[in-house]
Amino acid sequence: MSGAGITIGALSEQTGVNIETVRYYERIGLIPPAHRSAGGRRVFDTDDVQRLSFVRRARQLGFSTDEIRSLLDVAKGARACKDAHALAVKHRDAVRASIRDLRRLERTLTEAADRCSKGASPGCAIVEALSH
Amino acid sequence: MSGAGITIGALSEQTGVNIETVRYYERIGLIPPAHRSAGGRRVFDTDDVQRLSFVRRARQLGFSTDEIRSLLDVAKGARACKDAHALAVKHRDAVRASIRDLRRLERTLTEAADRCSKGASPGCAIVEALSH
DNA sequence: GCTTGCTCCTGTAGCCACTACAGGAGTTAA
DNA sequence: TTAACTCCTGTAGTGGCTACAGGAGCAAGC
């Protein structure tokens, strides 16, 4: 038997989530406490694989663990889809803001680096830029 | 007297760096240990204002504290401008990579949110996207 | 049955760059 | 003198992991 007895190592391989991270997610309640074998080891099933994959993809999209908790609630029907939509839009707006900030940063860094590489100014152009 | 005796509070206001952060920077050696008054309080001067402003601008550009240490070395001539240039370019490339990642993220989030708001699918489009 | 080597367990501490206290002491204006 | 304010040190918390230490379960080979 035990057709669906998945060890934490196998779960980690299947989902791409680090073993320590799996235990961490359990500790903070992002995934439910795993069932245990007679020897006290965690035993997972395919549902656990699904859920952990969900969590991983959400993390890759940059959602915080708290946000993922809400998304999981939506997934299991305990919360309205509207909430997931609001989260996604809010997060997307934050991402857009980050992109704007980083673009400005990139310009500033490029300008400083270009002036420096041209060796025009007497001091260091990057240090100059930071000293104002 | 004490024409240049700046308290930590005044320094914080002039540079926009939090008081606790100033003490933190001193603790990790990003700024040198401040001089002390008879009563044991930190006393800063205009050089300290300059240096802390430098640190702040570098942080705003996303340099790590270790990188800022190197930039400060360049600023005081203990290290070549070439090193600052290398740091700036390396950091700019990291920023560019971040922007690329965030753009992809933004597309994914927008797509999921748009499908959701249209209310076309039976379940939640965002949850669907995360469940694959 | 025993050993070897692998995986797993718990608990704790570290990472980065701060931020937020608690509990006490110096300083300044009324 | 007193009240209000600023500052001091030391410690702990944040998020999202990651990395041990020191021990125990478990499978395969001899």
Side-chain angles (χ1 to χ4, degrees), chain A residues 89-107:
Chain A
V89 168
K90 179 162 159 282
H91 184 48
R92 186 204 53 190
D93 289 349
V95 168
R96 280 185 183 164
S98 285
I99 291 172
R100 272 197 298 277
D101 290 350
L102 288 177
R103 280 227 191 91
R104 223 172 324 137
L105 230 69
E106 200 262 328
R107 265 200 305 279

Side-chain angles (χ1 to χ4, degrees), chain A residues 9-118:
Chain A
L11 178 71
S12 172
E13 262 188 38
Q14 284 182 47
T15 57
V17 176
N18 196 316
I19 289 180
E20 313 260 25
T21 307
V22 174
R23 289 197 277 250
Y24 167 71
Y25 284 165
E26 187 190 80
R27 198 163 62 244
I28 66 168
L30 202 54
I31 57 176
H35 298 115
R36 297 296 180 127
S37 73
R41 299 192 165 193
R42 288 177 184 80
V43 180
F44 300 91
D45 60 24
T46 48
D47 277 2
D48 295 319
V49 175
Q50 289 305 308
R51 184 194 305 257
L52 188 56
S53 299
F54 183 100
V55 171
R56 186 184 180 229
R57 283 188 284 264
R59 280 296 299 136
Q60 283 179 332
L61 288 181
F63 287 104
S64 72
T65 48
D66 264 359
E67 287 168 336
I68 294 174
R69 256 182 266 268
S70 303
L71 291 173
L72 284 165
D73 283 350
V74 177
K76 73 177 178 195
R79 195 187 264 257
C81 168
K82 210 176 60 176
D83 292 354
H85 183 256
L87 268 180
V89 168
K90 179 162 159 282
H91 184 48
R92 186 204 53 190
D93 289 349
V95 168
R96 280 185 183 164
S98 285
I99 291 172
R100 272 197 298 277
D101 290 350
L102 288 177
R103 280 227 191 91
R104 223 172 324 137
L105 230 69
E106 200 262 328
R107 265 200 305 279
T108 306
L109 286 168
T110 298
E111 277 166 23
D114 282 359
R115 252 180 301 139
C116 189
S117 64
K118 280 166 195 154

Side-chain angles (χ1 to χ4, degrees), chain A residues 50 53-54 57-63 71 74-75 81-82 84-86 88-89 91-92 95-96 98-99 102-106 108-110 112-114 116-117 123-132, chain B residues 50 53-54 57-63 71 74-75 81-82 84-86 88-89 91-92 95-96 98-99 102-106 108-110 112-114 116-117 123-132:
Chain A
Q50 289 305 308
S53 299
F54 183 100
R57 283 188 284 264
R59 280 296 299 136
Q60 283 179 332
L61 288 181
F63 287 104
L71 291 173
V74 177
C81 168
K82 210 176 60 176
H85 183 256
V89 168
H91 184 48
R92 186 204 53 190
V95 168
R96 280 185 183 164
S98 285
I99 291 172
L102 288 177
R103 280 227 191 91
R104 223 172 324 137
L105 230 69
E106 200 262 328
T108 306
L109 286 168
T110 298
D114 282 359
C116 189
S117 64
C124 175
I126 289 152
V127 167
E128 287 299 310
L130 291 167
S131 304
H132 238 254
Chain B
Q50 288 306 308
S53 299
F54 184 100
R57 283 188 284 265
R59 281 296 300 135
Q60 283 178 333
L61 288 181
F63 287 105
L71 291 173
V74 177
C81 168
K82 210 177 58 176
H85 183 256
V89 168
H91 184 47
R92 186 205 53 192
V95 169
R96 280 185 183 164
S98 284
I99 291 171
L102 289 177
R103 281 229 189 90
R104 225 173 323 140
L105 229 70
E106 200 262 329
T108 307
L109 285 168
T110 298
D114 282 359
C116 188
S117 63
C124 175
I126 288 151
V127 166
E128 288 297 313
L130 290 168
S131 303
H132 236 254

Side-chain angles (χ1 to χ4, degrees), chain B residues 32-108:
Chain B
H35 297 116
R36 299 294 180 128
S37 73
R41 301 193 163 192
R42 289 177 182 81
V43 180
F44 301 91
D45 59 25
T46 49
D47 277 2
D48 295 319
V49 175
Q50 288 306 308
R51 183 194 306 258
L52 188 56
S53 299
F54 184 100
V55 170
R56 186 184 179 227
R57 283 188 284 265
R59 281 296 300 135
Q60 283 178 333
L61 288 181
F63 287 105
S64 73
T65 48
D66 263 0
E67 287 169 336
I68 295 174
R69 257 182 266 269
S70 302
L71 291 173
L72 284 166
D73 283 350
V74 177
K76 73 177 178 195
R79 196 186 264 257
C81 168
K82 210 177 58 176
D83 291 356
H85 183 256
L87 268 179
V89 168
K90 180 163 160 280
H91 184 47
R92 186 205 53 192
D93 290 349
V95 169
R96 280 185 183 164
S98 284
I99 291 171
R100 271 197 299 276
D101 289 350
L102 289 177
R103 281 229 189 90
R104 225 173 323 140
L105 229 70
E106 200 262 329
R107 265 201 305 279
T108 307

Side-chain angles (χ1 to χ4, degrees), chain B residues 7-29:
Chain B
T7 66
I8 196 170
L11 178 71
S12 171
E13 261 189 39
Q14 282 182 48
T15 59
V17 176
N18 197 317
I19 289 180
E20 314 260 23
T21 305
V22 175
R23 289 198 276 250
Y24 167 71
Y25 285 165
E26 187 190 82
R27 199 163 61 244
I28 66 169

